Amino acid sequence: MDIKATLLSPAGKAPVSPPGRKIRVLIADDEFHVRQIVAGIVRALGAVVVAEAGDGDEAVEAFERLRPDLVILDINMPRMRGDEALTRILAIDPQVVAIMMTAQDTIDSVQECLDRGARHYILKSNRAEEIMQLLAECWPDCIAHVRSTERP
């Protein structure tokens, strides 16, 4: 599937992200193939993946070192869960945009992540095409938030 072609407007115009500085993204998931799928989608949306992490500890370390604009975190990861990593990352930078991904679909897990400060929640149990659509739908909101918190 050509992710970039799918994200183009019907007239074949530019991808979803507006022009300007590319949004810098950290992806954390303990499943390599999920990270690869999400990274492809993020790139197709016009952003740059600055780091990938296989667990929550790596995610927090990479965030401290690289300070990306947006993080995409799986909840169930070894060493440190994604929801705990989210809390630590937001303590470092409360303005970062966080999207949580998980196979859990209980209302409690969704609400807990949103209460902790996640901006969006996506089920990774969906097919790649559906994950792409969900990220594309929430992307404009994420970009707008990042742009609104940028320093001149």
Side-chain angles (χ1 to χ4, degrees):
M1 178 180 112
D2 183 355
I3 292 173
K4 185 135 186 154
T6 305
L7 292 172
L8 296 177
S9 70
K13 295 190 179 164
V16 175
S17 286
R21 181 183 66 83
K22 288 192 175 208
I23 301 300
R24 301 170 68 246
V25 180
L26 163 66
I27 300 168
D29 194 298
D30 57 324
E31 297 180 69
F32 177 76
H33 73 281
V34 173
R35 290 196 313 267
Q36 293 303 293
I37 290 168
V38 173
I41 294 167
V42 164
R43 288 183 190 105
L45 288 166
V48 60
V49 176
V50 295
E52 294 182 20
D55 63 54
D57 279 340
E58 288 177 8
V60 172
E61 289 170 15
F63 184 83
E64 286 179 319
R65 191 175 69 255
L66 300 167
R67 300 295 171 106
D69 305 302
L70 189 145
V71 295
I72 300 174
L73 302 167
D74 180 26
I75 290 182
N76 291 316
M77 293 188 288
R79 293 181 45 197
M80 181 191 305
R81 290 175 44 90
D83 48 2
E84 177 61 27
L86 172 67
T87 299
R88 292 185 186 194
I89 287 169
L90 288 170
I92 297 166
D93 181 359
Q95 298 301 318
V96 71
V97 175
I99 300 172
M100 300 304 289
M101 285 188 51
T102 186
Q104 299 176 13
D105 61 355
T106 66
I107 200 70
D108 290 341
S109 63
V110 171
Q111 192 58 55
E112 181 179 345
C113 289
L114 296 174
D115 289 347
R116 286 181 183 237
R119 196 153 183 94
H120 295 280
Y121 186 97
I122 294 175
L123 291 177
K124 71 177 188 176
S125 55
N126 290 318
R127 294 186 343 259
E129 294 83 7
E130 292 168 331
I131 292 171
M132 178 194 63
Q133 182 63 36
L134 292 168
L135 277 172
E137 287 173 5
C138 72
W139 199 253
D141 173 63
C142 294
I143 299 304
H145 183 77
V146 167
R147 299 282 188 237
S148 73
T149 59
E150 285 181 328
R151 293 174 192 84

